[in-house]
Amino acid sequence: MTEDALTLLCQDTEHIHSREELATKLKSGRPLRVKLGVDPTAPDIHLGHAVQLRKLRQFQDLGHQVVLIIGDFTAMIGDPSGRSATRPPLTHEEVLENAKTFTEQAFLILDKDKTETVYNGDWFSKMPFQEVIKLNAKVTMQQMLQREDFRKRIDSHQEVRLHEIQYPIMQGWDSVVIRSDVEIGGTDQLFNVLVGRDLQKGEGMDPQVVMTLPLLEGLDGNKKMSKSLGNYVGLTDVPDDMFGKLMSISDELMPRYYRLVLGEDMDAEMHPMEAKKQLAAKTVALYHNNDAAQAARTNFENKFAKGSLEEADLPEVDCPPAESPLIAFVSQVYQQTFDQKRSNGDIRRLIQQGSIQLNGEKLSDPKATLTLRAGDVLKLDKKRLIRLR
RNA sequence: GGGUAGAUUCCGGAGCGGUCAAACGGGGCAGACUGUAAAUCUGCUGGCUAUGCCUUCGAAGGUUCGAAUCCUUCUCUGCCCA
């Protein structure tokens, strides 16, 4: 029984320190306190976060207690992990605002009843300076400088600010405060999480088990998924977007997405396009529902299979008056339908390059005027099409 | 505290008085190709009421017919020494 649980929990992890310790803790029979710290630097959760949240959910399903730490205090410092430059600080208001939607979305995956949500500002904002100094005395400069991120920056003559060095210490102290048994994080969190072990030992506690999970690559297949790089799939993306974004990943990336997003193995025999469509559909089904997944798939197929545009479910836009200037109309559609600001120069470029198409015909004259009829389909760029009403 | 180097468009990084909206690379966007993609190739990549005009080269002043380029002060950063 414990063996099964152990195997399950260790599945799809990158690094565990250590499996034996985890086994011992599991054998104790009490619900373990499993920590995940998140800094809500952006308001939305994406599939990269989901990898970790799904692991937490496994713990919950086995009866354990999740402690979700909202780093409202640490977010203002910014985690230097993987950063080649100091993060721009966020205001506390921004962080709290983000935290609201962030936790809401986290419960799309987590079981709310088995989750304790705490804010680390609760203890850090009240910590007297004396205590800060004491805390700093518990670690050495050399320990902190072991970190590759800092090393690299020092070697390449970039600045490292002292507050950034506080970050791992604070994250470690979180573990002491909430008395965590296990801490989960991405591979880039290994250092920070290990600091937690040290600090817990220093306080005479049984140190937490460290469990790191693979970082999901973003849509570009290169860098880790993150909002700021724009290579993410949001948990709350509408089905069509979610599907479309997943279809844009490379074939090489697919098995990894199957494992980390769905927790299953890809059928290597399947035609890659079909495999990708199933990956996309299953993901949509997971965060929306089966009907939405089916609809998104049909839509995608219609949009991209030539001649089936009439079938596709596209955003509708009212016909402009006859003889409307093309540029002005396109600009307005970007703004109103897709909430994107595009300069006229930008749109002119799209036209000249043949991106703007009416019923499949390229409109390449930037000075053209248009007379549109209901039912016409206008393509703006790869991802955006509209239907006239 | 002393010395020294530097701050350029999304990023890296040229430019060192006019030919600079600013080389080149990356990224991004578009087209072709394809199995949606990826890869590859090609084009574009400050704004505008557009063969011209406007705003940009850390900030503010100044010199000059003319400044990203020269001068002054300021702000910030790296490196070396203490």
Side-chain angles (χ1 to χ4, degrees):
Chain A
M1 178 63 199
T2 320
E3 262 318 300
D4 291 349
L6 188 62
T7 309
L8 176 67
L9 291 173
C10 292
Q11 200 177 35
D12 292 320
T13 57
E14 191 84 24
H15 175 106
I16 299 176
H17 190 84
S18 62
R19 199 183 161 109
E20 291 67 40
E21 284 184 25
L22 181 58
T24 310
K25 291 202 186 228
L26 286 172
K27 270 190 207 120
S28 76
R30 69 187 166 89
L32 300 180
R33 294 173 63 76
V34 186
K35 169 193 171 193
L36 176 71
V38 289
D39 284 357
T41 49
D44 295 309
I45 291 190
H46 53 62
L47 293 180
H49 298 114
V51 175
Q52 294 168 26
L53 293 172
R54 286 166 61 85
K55 180 58 72 183
L56 289 178
R57 178 67 200 228
Q58 284 181 341
F59 273 98
Q60 287 183 325
D61 290 343
L62 292 166
H64 300 291
Q65 173 75 37
V66 162
V67 184
L68 187 64
I69 299 191
I70 303 297
D72 63 326
F73 202 85
T74 36
M76 292 189 290
I77 292 181
D79 183 2
S81 292
R83 286 269 156 173
S84 53
T86 309
R87 273 181 192 257
L90 291 168
T91 67
H92 197 232
E93 286 68 40
E94 288 170 324
V95 172
L96 289 182
E97 196 56 40
N98 288 342
K100 220 169 88 188
T101 51
F102 202 95
T103 44
E104 239 165 60
Q105 294 176 23
F107 291 127
L108 290 173
I109 297 175
L110 294 180
D111 178 347
K112 206 167 183 168
D113 293 335
K114 290 178 189 151
T115 307
E116 184 182 323
T117 308
V118 293
Y119 288 72
N120 66 8
D122 283 357
W123 48 92
F124 284 126
S125 65
K126 293 175 191 128
M127 192 178 246
F129 195 60
Q130 280 176 326
E131 294 298 319
V132 177
I133 297 293
K134 268 197 209 165
L135 182 54
N136 271 293
K138 295 178 200 292
V139 293
T140 69
M141 192 68 151
Q142 285 83 344
Q143 277 178 315
M144 292 301 119
L145 291 179
Q146 273 174 16
R147 273 187 67 141
E148 210 193 347
D149 311 302
F150 292 143
R151 264 267 78 82
K152 265 193 204 152
R153 275 156 66 180
I154 289 169
D155 290 346
S156 65
H157 296 178
Q158 284 182 299
E159 55 166 350
V160 177
R161 303 226 159 218
L162 279 176
H163 73 282
E164 297 181 80
I165 288 188
Q166 303 289 309
Y167 190 93
I169 305 173
M170 294 170 74
Q171 182 171 338
W173 193 247
D174 285 345
S175 295
V176 172
V177 173
I178 66 143
R179 314 187 73 81
S180 54
D181 293 297
V182 180
E183 175 160 1
I184 294 209
T187 47
D188 58 346
Q189 293 294 311
L190 181 60
F191 182 90
N192 293 354
V193 179
L194 286 170
V195 172
R197 272 177 72 87
D198 285 343
L199 293 179
Q200 284 179 319
K201 278 190 237 170
E203 299 302 306
M205 299 169 58
D206 189 23
Q208 62 186 3
V209 171
V210 167
M211 185 179 269
T212 63
L213 302 180
L215 293 176
L216 183 68
E217 288 83 357
L219 298 171
D220 55 43
N222 246 322
K223 306 193 187 86
K224 77 166 181 175
M225 185 175 279
S226 92
K227 176 129 187 171
S228 55
L229 294 171
N231 61 359
Y232 71 102
V233 179
L235 249 49
T236 53
D237 280 355
V238 296
D240 280 355
D241 277 355
M242 196 180 261
F243 196 98
K245 282 181 183 178
L246 286 166
M247 287 306 285
S248 80
I249 65 171
S250 71
D251 289 358
E252 291 68 44
L253 210 52
M254 256 202 293
R256 193 142 162 101
Y257 268 60
Y258 262 94
R259 242 353 298 165
L260 296 181
V261 175
L262 300 174
E264 58 182 72
D265 286 318
M266 186 178 113
D267 179 356
E269 302 297 301
M270 201 180 279
H271 186 283
M273 187 168 70
E274 180 54 29
K276 206 172 287 179
K277 282 179 181 172
Q278 289 199 11
L279 166 70
K282 282 179 176 176
T283 309
V284 173
L286 199 56
Y287 295 110
H288 295 278
N289 56 60
N290 282 324
D291 291 346
Q294 189 49 52
R297 176 172 175 144
T298 311
N299 240 325
F300 181 86
E301 285 166 350
N302 286 339
K303 251 191 243 182
F304 291 97
K306 280 171 198 151
S308 306
L309 279 175
E310 312 78 53
E311 305 289 324
D313 179 16
L314 303 174
E316 299 205 330
V317 173
D318 286 322
C319 274
E323 300 287 312
S324 297
L326 180 55
I327 293 185
F329 179 64
V330 172
S331 166
Q332 183 199 328
V333 172
Y334 264 115
Q335 182 90 53
Q336 291 178 1
T337 310
F338 300 105
D339 197 26
Q340 289 226 335
K341 280 182 223 106
R342 292 294 248 265
S343 72
N344 289 354
D346 231 355
I347 291 165
R348 181 169 302 110
R349 252 168 253 131
L350 286 175
I351 295 171
Q352 282 165 348
Q353 298 188 131
S355 175
I356 312 285
Q357 299 174 11
L358 176 62
N359 298 326
E361 296 287 318
K362 287 182 188 174
L363 299 173
S364 51
D365 178 10
K367 290 189 189 122
T369 56
L370 278 187
T371 303
L372 298 165
R373 290 171 319 211
D376 284 346
V377 172
L378 190 70
K379 173 175 175 257
L380 302 183
D381 57 44
K382 268 186 195 158
K383 290 179 195 146
R384 285 172 269 264
L385 295 93
I386 57 158
R387 185 195 309 287
L388 278 306
R389 182 168 48 196

